[in-house]
């Protein structure tokens, strides 16, 4: 390993992949006691993509990965590392990372998964950047990928209307000149471990007929607690991160939040006195895709011209743990 310490990090390309099947709020009215009006008013979500049977997290992840590599004209053999943020891997092990590594032919890359709730995207980007800066890697593919529809209880209206399936990817590499990562920080508070959890099927509650009957193998979320927590911690956190980077909040050109709820995005930006039109929002089309959502919004924001070359973009996420994190990156 040829150490090239403090190599500047750049974003080389992005990609995304979502299942073709669209499930609308009206479709959900048929299966749980909900309404399009409730879902739109409380979350902003109108539809989500749901994987077909047999379609796996690794399939979406590999497709997003290839798009990011193509966008950067980088071949899979050039990759040193693949990190996949996911909470819905195909199997607990092996991880999605090695499956993607083999699928795309990244013959020289290490590969692993990172599980940090929806914040996995920021954790993975931060680890990738740190590894590049330290000289361990030159090109790292960071992926957020989820097929949450398989671990959501389709009888629980508190959760099933919120989530969707999808994958997004960002290719980071060694650049020239200034480092694109202007600041990044992650936090965790494991005392709030019951806010969002999937309790059954592993060590705490090994799978039994009883755990299955009790639905312990499905996502549980105290949505309102999460809502209040996020609205409390995120505004001062991102304000502080901007100060660390020597930036005024108004110098952030675009805000890419975890796409959990339109009211969270609005509320946080209102507290920070930032106009809502600086936010990239695509949750109306995809719902909450957990560790993938920031990547989907970043990719679409760039593809649709809402984010341009040279822009300073704040990526913000929060989720199970509780965890939260943010990164300011120059595109
Ligand atoms: O990605 C990880 C991070 N997760 C999040 O960021 C989620 C954060 N939380 C949220 O986005 C919101 O809390 C939710 C969208 C999950 C819920 O919105 P809320 O305004 O906090 O609603 P609530 O949980 O306080 O529930 C209000 C009412 C309840 O009825 P009662 O007790 O007032 O009669 C719920 O039973 O809404 C009811 N409700 C529904 N009604 C129709 C809950 N889900 C539904 C539904 N359709 N799907």
């Amino acid at each position: 390993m040829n150490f090239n310490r403090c190599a500047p990090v750049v974003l080389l390309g992005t990609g995304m992949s979502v299942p073709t099947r669209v499930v609308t709020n009206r479709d959900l009215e048929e299966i749980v006691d909900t309404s399009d009006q409730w879902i739109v008013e409380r979350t902003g979500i109108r539809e989500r993509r749901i994987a077909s049977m047999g379609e796996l997290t690794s399939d979406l992840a590999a497709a997003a990965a290839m798009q990011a590599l193509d966008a950067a004209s980088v071949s899979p053999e050039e990759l040193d590392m693949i990190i996949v943020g996911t909470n819905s891997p195909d199997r607990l092990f092996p991880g999605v990372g090695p499956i993607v590594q083999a699928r795309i032919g990244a013959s020289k890359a290490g590969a692993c998964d990172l599980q940090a709730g929806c914040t996995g995207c920021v954790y993975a980007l931060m680890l990738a950047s740190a590894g590049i800066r330290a000289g361990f890697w030159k090109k790292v593919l960071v992926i957020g990928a989820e097929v949450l529809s398989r671990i959501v209880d389709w009888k629980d209206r508190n959760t099933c209307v919120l989530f969707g399936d999808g994958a997004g990817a960002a290719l980071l590499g060694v650049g020239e000149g200034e480092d694109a990562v202007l600041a990044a920080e992650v936090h965790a508070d494991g005392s709030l471990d019951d806010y969002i959890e999937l309790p059954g099927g592993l060590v705490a509650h090994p799978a039994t007929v009883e755990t299955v009957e009790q639905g312990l193998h499905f996502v549980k979320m105290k949505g309102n607690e999460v809502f209040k927590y996020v609205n409390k911690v995120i505004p001062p956190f991102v304000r502080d991160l901007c100060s660390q980077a020597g930036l005024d909040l108004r110098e952030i050109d675009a805000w890419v939040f975890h796409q959990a709820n339109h009211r969270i995005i609005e509320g946080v930006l209102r507290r920070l006195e930032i106009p809502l039109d600086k936010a990239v929002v695509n949750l109306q089309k995809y719902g909450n895709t957990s560790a993938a959502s920031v990547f989907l919004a970043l990719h679409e924001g760039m593809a649709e011209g809402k984010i341009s070359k040279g822009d300073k973009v704040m990526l913000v996420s929060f989720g199970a743990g509780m965890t939260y994190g943010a990164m300011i990156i120059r595109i």
Side-chain angles (χ1 to χ4, degrees):
M1 175 75 53
N2 180 17
F3 287 98
N4 173 22
R5 291 182 196 283
C6 288
V9 179
V10 285
L11 176 65
L12 297 171
T14 62
M16 67 175 271
S17 172
V18 289
T20 50
R21 185 175 158 218
V22 176
V23 173
T24 65
N25 293 348
R26 294 261 182 239
D27 295 329
L28 296 179
E29 288 177 359
E30 305 293 319
I31 56 171
V32 283
D33 180 15
T34 192
S35 65
D36 175 56
Q37 189 187 358
W38 190 96
I39 302 170
V40 171
E41 282 178 9
R42 298 286 178 129
T43 70
I45 299 166
R46 293 181 181 276
E47 58 188 41
R48 69 286 293 140
R49 301 300 181 95
I50 299 295
S52 51
M53 282 319 288
E55 195 171 18
L56 303 181
T57 305
S58 56
D59 297 327
L60 299 175
M66 284 312 298
Q67 201 181 37
L69 289 168
D70 287 347
S73 302
V74 168
S75 74
E77 296 81 19
E78 294 176 63
L79 288 176
D80 301 302
M81 185 65 188
I82 299 169
I83 308 175
V84 182
T86 184
N87 305 284
S88 49
D90 300 357
R91 295 164 277 176
L92 182 63
F93 54 84
V96 176
I99 308 297
V100 171
Q101 176 270 330
R103 182 88 54 83
I104 67 175
S107 51
K108 296 204 281 286
C112 69
D113 289 5
L114 186 153
Q115 196 257 89
C118 307
T119 322
C121 52
V122 177
Y123 275 83
L125 284 167
M126 204 168 165
L127 288 176
S129 313
I132 292 169
R133 278 184 182 174
F136 291 135
W137 307 312
K138 289 196 173 68
K139 290 191 174 65
V140 184
L141 192 55
V142 185
I143 303 170
E146 306 282 9
V147 176
L148 295 160
S149 58
R150 302 263 165 75
I151 58 170
V152 155
D153 183 351
W154 288 97
K155 294 192 179 77
D156 176 13
R157 69 177 186 173
N158 291 297
T159 50
C160 76
V161 305
L162 305 173
F163 296 105
D165 302 335
L171 178 64
L172 298 183
V174 175
E176 286 166 9
E178 280 184 68
D179 199 313
V181 178
L182 306 180
E185 195 172 306
V186 284
H187 289 270
D189 183 352
S191 70
L192 306 176
D193 62 337
D194 61 345
Y195 276 19
I196 311 172
E197 62 171 332
L198 193 154
L202 283 173
V203 175
H205 302 285
T208 61
V209 171
E210 288 74 30
T211 64
V212 173
E213 281 172 356
Q214 291 162 21
L216 298 189
H217 55 295
F218 291 130
V219 174
K220 317 281 175 207
M221 183 166 75
K222 296 181 177 172
N224 195 257
E225 299 303 319
V226 175
F227 188 88
K228 286 185 284 192
Y229 176 76
V230 167
N231 277 296
K232 186 179 78 182
V233 297
I234 297 296
F237 167 58
V238 292
R239 191 186 289 281
D240 183 58
L241 197 68
C242 269
S243 309
Q244 280 183 41
L247 294 171
D248 186 275
L249 283 167
R250 286 164 298 190
E251 291 180 82
I252 300 294
D253 300 295
W255 292 74
V256 177
F257 283 93
H258 172 38
Q259 304 286 303
N261 189 323
H262 199 269
R263 287 188 293 143
I264 294 178
I265 299 174
E266 270 171 11
V268 170
L269 289 180
R270 194 177 339 105
R271 281 182 187 79
L272 297 171
E273 297 177 9
I274 301 293
L276 184 58
D277 64 6
K278 283 204 172 182
V280 179
V281 180
N282 63 4
L283 58 82
Q284 69 282 3
K285 294 189 284 182
Y286 306 120
N288 177 345
T289 57
S290 191
S293 86
V294 159
F295 292 110
L296 296 187
L298 176 64
H299 177 79
E300 285 202 338
M302 289 168 65
E304 291 166 8
K306 183 134 195 180
I307 299 173
S308 310
K309 188 95 191 113
D311 278 357
K312 292 184 276 303
V313 179
M314 174 77 83
L315 311 176
V316 188
S317 196
F318 43 84
M322 291 294 294
T323 56
Y324 60 95
M327 173 178 275
I328 305 173
I329 186 163
R330 189 185 289 106
I331 301 303

